[in-house]
């Protein structure tokens, strides 16, 4: 049903009645107003889809009221004849002018006006969505840069605390203080990890996953007081996903539902297939996504959210919870994981009406799975002899100094480098070093390219890598296929010594 406001002043009105308009099409419902203030109230109350106005003195007032109270609502002017007055009203924002003699064309004109309005709404919604995505992507880039620096800083704090523990006894108060520092480092590392999940541009190591395979993990992670109603048909296409990350995404949404329903309730989890047009696809890489998507829906019947809350929902550290209950990073991680899988999220919510989160992921048939990293079984690492020469490649001064002290204290002869170029200058011949401990991100290159050049010179050199996160599929494949040890920053210096010695 199309709700139409017919505005016709008593003086100088046109020969159009609400009954005549409704006769033109059964789906038209027309209400007539002759007073400009009453017509403005109808517009302001959202009670009409479109307005018709006779070409009288009040038509310009109606256009001004529309612009102020209901922007976008089409206004069609009905004139006895198309003349200067009609042209002036078109200049003031009328969408169409139609002569009374052409009234039979009104249904087509109304269809055209409403289609134009719908298209404008779609463009505005798409522009708004793109603007939000651009803002969150900018936050993601900032989060990645900040997290990289924070990992190095946390690593330095962890390292100095660990070195300090070697100099004091367990009965010393400083022992407890230093362990509290290390515990705080672990908490900071968890926050940093969440920031990296939010900011990472794409997920590595994705494999085909059946949607139904998620159900056991979701039921196992269901918060107390919630009951899961699942509608997951068997005949659904796979999606390409990192299973642990996708499980984490839905666990966060279940946790969000539990917060919205403190008294308990039902969470509905459903999965469907959607074929979308180009303008309906909001993947970071639409060309790779294709047009077929698997839509995962998580819906609760909780308190819902106001528009201003929903607007900021995925921003890092934004939370409506009281202090001490959550970091404000849960839904930021949800957003990041969706984007890493070349998908996106849609949220429907209103105060008192619950919330529905919809995740759209490309169907596997529309994407290509990356080749799985393969390689021979990992050989048993021989213990690195005492006094072996170790090359330590790390661009952060504090981390480089701490790691060098720890390795020297373990009996190794350590040389340090901060760049690819300086490392190559030191590793000038086969056998120059028994092992290389290398950061993945360096000022003049990356640790994987450096490792390849070192292996060409000395295939027997032992390699160990470190980073705050594995950045791309190439690095992941190289490390996995070579079975090289990898330490996540911030790492404990004892763990570094252990992996170089050949421990697990």
């Amino acid at each position: 049903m199309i709700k139409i406001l017919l505005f016709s002043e008593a003086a100088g009105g046109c020969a159009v009645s609400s009954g005549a308009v409704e006769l033109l099409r059964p789906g038209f419902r027309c209400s007539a107003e002759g007073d400009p203030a009453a017509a403005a109230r109808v517009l302001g109350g959202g009670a009409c889809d479109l307005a018709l106005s006779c070409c009288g003195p009040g038509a310009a007032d109606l256009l001004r009221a529309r612009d102020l109270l209901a922007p976008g609502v089409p206004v069609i002017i009905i004139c006895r004849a198309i003349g200067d007055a009609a042209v002036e009203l078109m200049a003031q924002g009328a969408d169409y002018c139609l002569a009374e003699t052409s009234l039979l064309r009104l249904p087509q004109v109304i269809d055209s006006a409403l289609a134009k309005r719908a298209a404008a709404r779609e463009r505005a919604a798409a522009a708004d969505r793109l603007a939000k995505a651009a803002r969150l992507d900018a936050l993601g880039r900032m989060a990645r840069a900040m997290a990289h620096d924070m990992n190095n800083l946390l690593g330095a704090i962890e390292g100095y605390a660990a070195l300090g523990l070697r100099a004091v006894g367990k009965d010393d108060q400083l022992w407890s203080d230093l362990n509290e520092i290390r515990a705080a480092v672990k908490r900071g590392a968890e926050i940093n990890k969440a920031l990296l999940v939010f900011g990472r541009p794409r997920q590595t190591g994705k494999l085909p996953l059946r949607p139904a395979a998620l159900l056991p993990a979701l039921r196992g992670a269901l918060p107390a007081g919630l009951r899961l109603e699942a509608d997951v048909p068997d005949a659904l296409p796979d999606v390409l996903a990192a299973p642990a990350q996708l499980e984490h995404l839905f666990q966060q949404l279940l946790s969000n539902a539990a917060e919205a329903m403190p008294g308990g309730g039902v969470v509905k989890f459903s999965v469907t297939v959607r074929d979308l047009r180009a303008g309906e696809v909001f993947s970071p890489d639409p060309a790779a996504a294709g047009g077929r998507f698997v839509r995962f829906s998580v819906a609760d019947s909780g308190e819902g959210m106001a528009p201003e809350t929903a607007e900021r929902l995925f921003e890092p550290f934004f939370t409506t919870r009281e202090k001490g209950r959550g970091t404000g990073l849960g839904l930021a991680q949800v957003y990041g994981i969706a984007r890493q899988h070349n998908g996106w999220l849609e949220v429907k919510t209103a105060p008192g009406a619950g919330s529905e989160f919809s995740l759209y992921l490309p169907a596997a048939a529309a994407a290509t799975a990356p080749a799985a990293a393969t390689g021979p079984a990992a050989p048993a690492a021989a213990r690195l002899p005492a006094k072996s020469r170790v090359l330590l490649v790390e661009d952060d001064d504090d981390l480089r100094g701490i790691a060098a002290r720890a390795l020297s204290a373990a009996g190794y002869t350590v040389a340090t480098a901060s760049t690819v170029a300086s490392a190559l200058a030191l590793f000038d011949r086969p056998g120059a070093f028994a092992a290389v401990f290398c950061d993945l991100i360096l000022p003049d290159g990356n640790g994987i390219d450096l490792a390849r050049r070192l292996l060409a010179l000395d295939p027997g050199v032992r390699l160990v890598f470190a980073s705050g996160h594995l950045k791309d599929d190439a690095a992941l494949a190289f490390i996995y296929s070579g079975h090289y040890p990898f330490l996540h920053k911030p790492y404990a210096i004892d763990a570094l010594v252990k992996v170089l010695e050949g421990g697990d």
Side-chain angles (χ1 to χ4, degrees):
M1 182 177 67
I2 297 173
K3 295 176 289 185
I4 300 171
L5 166 65
L6 174 61
F7 175 65
S8 177
E9 294 175 293
C14 51
V16 179
S17 67
S18 57
V21 172
E22 290 180 352
L23 285 173
L24 292 172
R25 181 178 291 175
F28 290 166
R29 290 294 178 269
C30 197
S31 61
E33 296 290 350
D35 176 57
R41 283 194 294 273
V42 173
L43 285 169
C48 67
D49 301 308
L50 177 139
L52 300 177
S53 175
C54 296
C55 191
D61 293 333
L62 182 72
L63 288 170
R64 284 191 290 271
R66 184 276 310 269
D67 293 342
L68 181 64
L69 301 172
V73 170
V75 175
I76 298 172
I77 305 297
I78 308 295
C79 304
R80 288 194 174 94
I82 304 298
D84 291 344
V87 172
E88 177 61 25
L89 289 171
M90 287 291 291
Q92 292 180 41
D95 293 87
Y96 292 91
C97 280
L98 188 67
E100 290 179 6
T101 55
S102 302
L103 197 60
L104 290 176
R105 290 184 53 240
L106 183 60
Q108 289 75 32
V109 173
I110 288 175
D111 288 343
S112 178
L114 292 176
K116 181 179 175 183
R117 182 192 187 192
R121 281 178 164 175
E122 285 186 9
R123 288 194 300 272
D128 181 60
R129 189 188 295 272
L130 290 172
K132 288 178 182 176
R135 186 182 78 243
L136 289 170
D137 286 348
L139 283 172
R141 290 191 296 272
M142 182 180 70
R144 288 200 305 276
M146 184 178 74
H148 177 263
D149 291 340
M150 282 297 297
N151 267 331
N152 287 339
L153 180 60
L154 290 170
I157 296 170
E158 158 65 29
Y160 283 123
L163 289 174
L165 283 170
R166 296 179 178 183
V168 298
K170 292 185 178 180
D171 56 346
D172 193 317
Q173 178 60 42
L174 187 56
W175 173 276
S176 297
D177 293 343
L178 290 170
N179 276 306
E180 286 296 328
I181 290 172
R182 298 185 78 186
V185 166
K186 288 183 179 179
R187 292 193 296 272
E190 286 300 313
I191 292 175
N192 230 30
K193 182 179 177 181
L195 281 174
L196 286 169
V197 169
F198 167 72
R200 186 164 47 204
R202 63 193 182 95
Q203 177 64 45
T204 57
K206 290 183 285 188
L207 300 170
L209 177 71
R210 290 186 305 107
L214 293 165
L215 286 174
L218 297 191
R219 289 195 171 102
L222 198 65
L226 294 189
R227 182 165 57 88
L228 187 69
E229 287 186 358
D231 180 12
V232 185
D234 291 330
L236 289 169
D238 290 351
V239 295
L240 292 179
Q245 286 292 296
L246 210 54
E247 288 172 7
H248 181 67
L249 180 152
F250 288 117
Q251 287 165 7
Q252 289 289 346
L253 292 181
L254 290 177
S255 175
N256 195 68
E259 286 287 331
M261 298 187 294
V266 174
V267 176
K268 295 181 179 180
F269 177 72
S270 60
V271 187
T272 55
V273 180
R274 296 287 303 276
D275 292 307
L276 302 179
R277 296 173 288 126
E280 298 172 324
V281 174
F282 297 98
S283 295
D285 185 355
R292 170 156 284 203
F293 291 83
V294 180
R295 175 182 176 265
F296 300 82
S297 167
V298 177
D300 66 63
S301 56
E303 57 197 23
M305 291 174 280
E308 57 269 22
T309 299
E311 178 75 16
R312 301 185 58 194
L313 203 55
F314 300 114
E315 292 180 12
F317 302 112
F318 175 75
T319 180
T320 58
R321 300 176 185 177
E322 59 267 27
K323 187 176 180 180
R325 294 191 62 201
T327 61
L329 288 170
L331 289 178
Q333 291 182 78
V334 166
Y335 174 87
I337 293 169
R339 301 281 288 177
Q340 290 156 28
H341 286 77
N342 204 21
W344 73 95
L345 290 154
E346 292 181 358
V347 182
K348 293 182 180 178
T349 185
S355 300
E356 180 183 20
F357 289 79
S358 295
L359 168 67
Y360 288 81
L361 294 183
T368 302
T374 59
R383 184 178 178 85
L384 200 64
K387 298 186 179 179
S388 295
R389 284 174 54 79
V390 176
L391 176 58
L392 171 60
V393 189
E394 168 61 63
D395 64 319
D396 184 85
D397 294 340
D398 285 328
L399 283 183
R400 190 170 62 251
I402 292 165
R405 284 176 61 182
L407 293 175
S408 296
Y412 299 113
T413 301
V414 182
T416 63
S418 59
T419 63
V420 171
S422 59
L424 289 170
L426 290 169
F427 205 121
D428 56 357
R429 67 187 188 282
F433 294 92
V436 176
F437 176 56
C438 185
D439 189 11
L440 285 183
I441 302 174
L442 296 166
D444 59 343
N446 66 73
I448 300 300
D449 290 340
L450 171 60
R452 288 195 175 101
R453 296 174 70 174
L454 296 181
L455 287 170
L457 182 63
D458 184 355
V461 66
R462 179 175 298 178
L463 298 174
V464 178
F465 296 95
S467 182
H469 62 292
L470 280 174
K471 192 175 180 182
D472 55 43
D473 285 321
L476 183 76
F478 182 87
I479 290 170
Y480 281 8
S481 63
H483 303 286
Y484 299 118
F486 178 83
L487 293 178
H488 284 275
K489 291 183 176 180
Y491 52 81
I493 57 175
D494 291 340
L496 167 58
V497 173
K498 187 174 182 180
V499 295
L500 275 175
E501 288 178 345
D504 294 332

